[in-house]
Amino acid sequence: MSLQEKAGSIVSVADSIDRLGIPHYGWWSEALHGVSDTGPATWFNKTIVPGATSYPVVILTAASFNVSLFNILGKVVSNEARAMYNTGVAGLTFWSPNVNIFRDPRWGRGQETPGEDPLLSSIFGVAYVKGLQDRDDGDKDRLKIGACCKHYTAYDLDNWTSVDRFHFNAIITKQDLEDTYNPPFKSCVLDGNVASIMCSFNQINGIPTCGDKELLEDTVRGEWKLNGYISSDCDSLIIMFKDQRWAKTPEEVTADALIAGLDLNCGDSLKNFTENAVKRGLVNESVVDRAVTNNFATLMRLGFFDGHPSKQMYGNLGKKDICTKANQELARETARQGIVLLKNNLGSLPLRPTNIKSLAVIGPNANATKAMIGNYAGIPCKYTSPLQAFSESVQTVFESGCENVLCNVTSYFEKARSIAAAADAVVLVMGTDLSVEAEGLDRMDIVLPGQQNLLVSQVAYAAKGPVILVIMSGGGMDVSFAKRNPKVTSILWVGFPGQEGGAAMADVIFGRYNPGGRLPMTWYPRSYLMSVPMDNMNMRPDPSTGHPGRSYRFYRGETVYPFGYGLSYSLYVHRLIKAPKTVSIPLNNSSSTIDSIDATDDVCNGLTFDVNMMVTNIGKMSGSHSILLFSNPPPVIHNSPTKQLVDFKRIKLSPWERTSVSFKIDVCKQLSVVDEDGKWKVPLGKHGLQIGDVEHSVSLKI
């Protein structure tokens, strides 16, 4: 290959090389929660593939805390992706999932992520990546499709006041980088064998991530051993040059990015400037060869050069395998599993259709369709709106109450109050859509937009029966007014629930499904926004500035609803069966003054213990129940978390059924924390373990 041919093959729309028989290839496709047409390598049309199954946004899926579901979603999405590739309307490389940490409740893209917890984000990322990539023949060297974990790293601000993602310099401590921002990416590579990592727009401590050799070449490829390619976010190199003014010429930016470890540029900077960068001596051609090799090796693993798709594994997949009945039912089931019941007064939910002669359905999202599919969605197979689904069960009367989710006028409120007063029950479907929180659009507030609070309060006051408030949003909301209002009898959070969101909501509200979702992010009070600016990246609290800390791991202030919160129509009782009180660490040359050990020490090999629980459903309904195991580390390491998720499982129980649940705890992996130098340590002393209302202490001793 000539140098310019090489340069043309390391960009997102790679050139064909006719003399070598290499066709052009479009790298950019998306499959965040179903195949999307966001990337130019994928498209829909009415005759070939009119749409694909649109699942709930990731934040709602994560609320299920169901690892097997995460993996199954990856598998069915990759089936539709491969089917679209076979029909010529998609590529083989999909730049999903987004495993950034949902650090601040204002972030518009939090909906795309698994939430605020690094363990949950890591587990989701690995399970989804393996679902997308793993072939049914078990060949680990080949790929079904290529996934990409993005945006590496500490990318969680889009456009807030005067700060935007293209100019943002994230100032981050070694401690926060190692224990919060990087773990999901590390897990994607080490445990998921992901085919790609995408570097982000922002700078970290003054260096653009796509030009940071320590982050890319030294860590992702050197330490973690990525088997694949490193891509830039789209036009990142132009942004490095024009917006961040990283170097004086685009050739210098190109050289810096390649030397840092970049293999592929979403955009055309590498195509335009690589040849001159080499000729000017800014980068060796061997570095370009490395990038070309990593990209072509990925395409080989995908079978891109193996002839016609129909002759390959998965060659039988086609239009018939997209939008199948089973896939659409999975979209409904995923939404059901994620929906979180936040409040439920006695006698409110579930509603019995036989007792409801008239249901008032009110709110700007009550007849939502497109709003349900959120960011990075394609064209869905169909929509089942809330109003449509409710109307299939009971007689409904509809009034939007607001002209849209911004709800800036109150002229429709009187009719909403009127139908609420006449109905046997009321469902208010409120919240946001992409006009409020989206890519490039962070929120300025975390209350219901416009006059929505007033509408809810007036309708609740007028209603004669139960009032169910449904919040459709990507981020958390301060709904303290509704939580305190006894006339608002139930509150549900449904995220952006996908194409079958209305059906899933109806299943929960009418008792056909027992809710079991739990919040994957803290719901803060509105006052929280006044205490910390969005561009402050510190996770740990700082009493000197009034910074209260971020996420349940570090924040100890008031919440509207905490991380992991979720109610059910059943009641589950937990009982500890077995767990040690002391674990001895066989450390040679031990000293009584040691307060921690290195988590990479040889003594860590095989150092485990079991926690066994008995869980009983004492309710009248079958239900699935998520069991979250937390630890409270001893305060040995400065600024360590006060609480952290260790593991979780989801089980299903019939009424009065019980089952044992076991957790095997890897001491050095699951009970370790990070010190201020970014090193993983296992603190000695008493570690508290918590599952629901059950608490137990385990002392680690040498």
Side-chain angles (χ1 to χ4, degrees):
M1 297 172 68
S2 69
L3 178 54
Q4 188 53 41
E5 286 173 337
K6 294 174 184 177
S9 65
I10 55 176
V11 289
S12 52
V13 181
D15 292 341
S16 62
I17 308 175
D18 295 339
R19 66 183 188 85
L20 298 178
I22 297 174
H24 72 85
Y25 179 70
W27 287 85
W28 182 9
S29 292
E30 300 278 357
L32 182 65
H33 53 106
V35 180
S36 167
D37 56 353
T38 303
T42 303
W43 64 94
F44 297 103
N45 62 54
K46 294 181 180 179
T47 55
I48 303 177
V49 178
T53 313
S54 187
Y55 296 91
V57 293
V58 174
I59 193 73
L60 185 67
T61 299
S64 72
F65 283 86
N66 187 341
V67 183
S68 62
L69 177 64
F70 303 160
N71 183 253
I72 289 168
L73 281 171
K75 289 181 178 179
V76 296
V77 170
S78 65
N79 280 344
E80 293 200 357
R82 195 81 196 201
M84 290 181 67
Y85 170 72
N86 291 346
T87 57
V89 294
L92 288 167
T93 45
F94 290 79
W95 290 348
S96 306
N98 179 342
V99 293
N100 289 121
I101 297 299
F102 197 173
R103 169 186 59 89
D104 190 287
R106 290 163 283 200
W107 189 30
R109 298 186 73 176
Q111 60 183 279
E112 300 175 28
T113 76
E116 71 182 32
D117 183 72
L119 178 71
L120 174 58
S121 297
S122 297
I123 289 174
F124 173 87
V126 171
Y128 191 67
V129 164
K130 290 174 73 67
L132 291 175
Q133 292 191 163
D134 288 358
R135 287 168 44 120
D136 293 329
D137 62 1
D139 188 341
K140 299 300 182 183
D141 294 325
R142 305 295 293 272
L143 298 167
K144 184 179 181 183
I145 65 172
C148 172
C149 288
K150 63 184 185 184
H151 312 79
Y152 180 69
T153 182
Y155 168 75
D156 47 24
L157 180 153
D158 269 59
N159 193 354
W160 176 77
T161 63
S162 61
V163 185
D164 68 61
R165 57 184 175 166
F166 305 129
H167 299 87
F168 182 45
N169 178 23
I171 304 301
I172 301 174
T173 66
K174 291 180 180 179
Q175 199 171 22
D176 284 341
L177 191 66
E178 182 63 27
D179 83 347
T180 298
Y181 297 114
N182 279 0
F185 298 97
K186 184 176 183 179
S187 295
C188 277
V189 177
L190 293 179
D191 302 323
N193 193 27
V194 72
S196 177
I197 292 289
M198 176 186 286
C199 51
S200 53
F201 289 122
N202 56 288
Q203 297 181 355
I204 292 182
N205 300 330
I207 304 174
T209 64
C210 292
D212 192 328
K213 183 176 181 294
E214 183 178 352
L215 282 178
L216 304 185
E217 184 65 25
D218 297 348
T219 302
V220 174
R221 195 169 298 286
E223 181 184 340
W224 301 345
K225 310 297 183 187
L226 173 71
N227 180 20
Y229 67 100
I230 299 174
S231 171
S232 76
D233 206 338
C234 294
D235 292 326
S236 283
L237 301 193
I238 292 176
I239 289 163
M240 285 172 64
F241 174 60
K242 291 185 176 180
D243 297 281
Q244 299 174 356
R245 299 182 180 180
W246 175 245
K248 293 181 179 180
T249 68
E251 287 82 5
E252 290 173 295
V253 168
T254 293
D256 286 351
L258 286 168
I259 292 169
L262 192 70
D263 298 310
L264 185 79
N265 166 215
C266 180
D268 56 11
S269 291
L270 292 186
K271 177 180 176 179
N272 293 340
F273 304 114
T274 294
E275 185 171 21
N276 282 342
V278 172
K279 289 179 177 178
R280 288 173 53 186
L282 299 173
V283 61
N284 290 329
E285 189 170 352
S286 61
V287 177
V288 182
D289 291 343
R290 178 219 68 212
V292 174
T293 299
N294 288 333
N295 295 345
F296 274 88
T298 302
L299 291 176
M300 289 176 182
R301 294 173 66 201
L302 288 161
F304 180 68
F305 300 109
D306 293 351
H308 197 276
S310 64
K311 305 300 182 182
Q312 302 178 42
M313 189 174 185
Y314 304 111
N316 62 322
L317 295 175
K319 185 176 180 180
K320 70 182 188 309
D321 301 293
I322 304 167
C323 289
T324 65
K325 183 178 180 180
N327 288 1
Q328 294 186 68
E329 179 58 32
L330 180 62
R332 183 173 182 167
E333 173 64 15
T334 302
R336 284 191 298 227
Q337 289 199 27
I339 289 173
V340 182
L341 179 63
L342 296 170
K343 175 183 178 180
N344 197 29
N345 292 353
L346 185 65
S348 181
L349 288 179
L351 299 179
R352 299 184 182 279
T354 53
N355 296 340
I356 305 296
K357 300 294 185 286
S358 174
L359 178 70
V361 183
I362 300 169
N365 279 329
N367 199 25
T369 52
K370 192 172 182 179
M372 295 194 300
I373 61 178
N375 254 9
Y376 281 79
I379 299 175
C381 316
K382 65 179 180 66
Y383 291 108
T384 303
S385 74
L387 178 61
Q388 177 187 345
F390 299 156
S391 300
E392 291 172 358
S393 295
V394 296
Q395 186 71 37
T396 59
V397 182
F398 168 65
E399 171 54 50
S400 66
C402 305
E403 73 283 9
N404 52 47
V405 296
L406 300 179
C407 202
N408 289 321
V409 297
T410 61
S411 54
Y412 302 100
F413 284 18
E414 184 176 352
K415 185 177 180 183
R417 293 194 300 268
S418 176
I419 68 169
D424 295 319
V426 177
V427 178
L428 283 150
V429 190
M430 314 301 287
T432 67
D433 59 19
L434 296 187
S435 70
V436 176
E437 49 181 336
E439 182 172 13
L441 181 63
D442 297 326
R443 290 190 289 167
M444 296 303 296
D445 211 338
I446 54 172
V447 295
L448 293 173
Q451 300 297 316
Q452 286 193 35
N453 282 15
L454 182 61
L455 176 61
V456 172
S457 297
Q458 290 189 3
V459 166
Y461 182 80
K464 67 178 182 180
V467 176
I468 295 93
L469 172 59
V470 177
I471 302 165
M472 190 180 294
S473 69
M477 292 285 183
D478 184 348
V479 289
S480 301
F481 81 100
K483 181 181 179 182
R484 293 189 300 261
N485 188 343
K487 290 280 287 180
V488 178
T489 55
S490 300
I491 303 176
L492 290 163
W493 175 69
V494 300
F496 294 129
Q499 66 169 61
E500 298 301 320
M505 290 160 55
D507 289 339
V508 170
I509 287 172
F510 293 113
R512 296 189 289 267
Y513 189 87
N514 192 348
R518 293 175 177 266
L519 291 179
M521 73 294 205
T522 301
W523 283 31
Y524 299 93
R526 189 182 195 184
S527 58
Y528 178 83
L529 305 187
M530 301 299 104
S531 61
V532 57
M534 190 175 177
D535 58 353
N536 184 321
M537 298 294 290
N538 292 328
M539 296 299 298
R540 273 88 177 160
D542 184 352
S544 68
T545 64
H547 182 350
R550 296 184 181 278
S551 85
Y552 79 95
R553 296 163 63 228
F554 302 105
Y555 174 70
R556 284 293 162 267
E558 175 191 358
T559 64
V560 179
Y561 292 108
F563 174 90
Y565 183 82
L567 303 175
S568 169
Y569 298 152
S570 295
L571 183 63
Y572 299 90
V573 176
H574 308 90
R575 181 168 62 87
L576 183 65
I577 299 175
K578 174 188 174 185
K581 293 183 177 180
T582 303
V583 173
S584 296
I585 300 175
L587 190 65
N588 295 328
N589 302 319
S590 62
S591 167
S592 60
T593 61
I594 294 177
D595 60 10
S596 67
I597 65 169
D598 194 318
T600 61
D601 196 290
D602 290 342
V603 300
C604 288
N605 295 330
L607 190 61
T608 64
F609 65 86
D610 294 323
V611 175
N612 296 334
M613 302 288 300
M614 183 65 71
V615 183
T616 306
N617 177 1
I618 63 172
K620 297 180 180 180
M621 288 183 67
S622 296
S624 57
H625 176 57
S626 295
I627 303 161
L628 277 54
L629 173 60
F630 294 95
S631 77
N632 305 104
V636 170
I637 304 299
H638 184 60
N639 274 339
S640 61
T642 56
K643 181 179 182 180
Q644 60 185 13
L645 187 64
V646 172
D647 204 351
F648 57 87
K649 292 184 178 180
R650 185 156 175 147
I651 60 172
K652 188 171 184 179
L653 292 173
S654 299
W656 291 102
E657 182 183 4
R658 66 179 184 176
T659 189
S660 61
V661 178
S662 298
F663 295 96
K664 182 170 287 294
I665 305 303
D666 183 318
V667 170
C668 294
K669 182 178 180 181
Q670 293 174 281
L671 299 185
S672 56
V673 297
V674 174
D675 68 15
E676 291 182 298
D677 294 322
K679 305 298 182 183
W680 286 93
K681 302 287 186 179
V682 181
L684 302 179
K686 186 177 292 185
H687 290 249
L689 299 179
Q690 179 184 350
I691 299 178
D693 57 357
V694 174
E695 296 183 356
H696 179 74
S697 294
V698 177
S699 291
L700 301 184
K701 297 181 178 181
I702 56 174

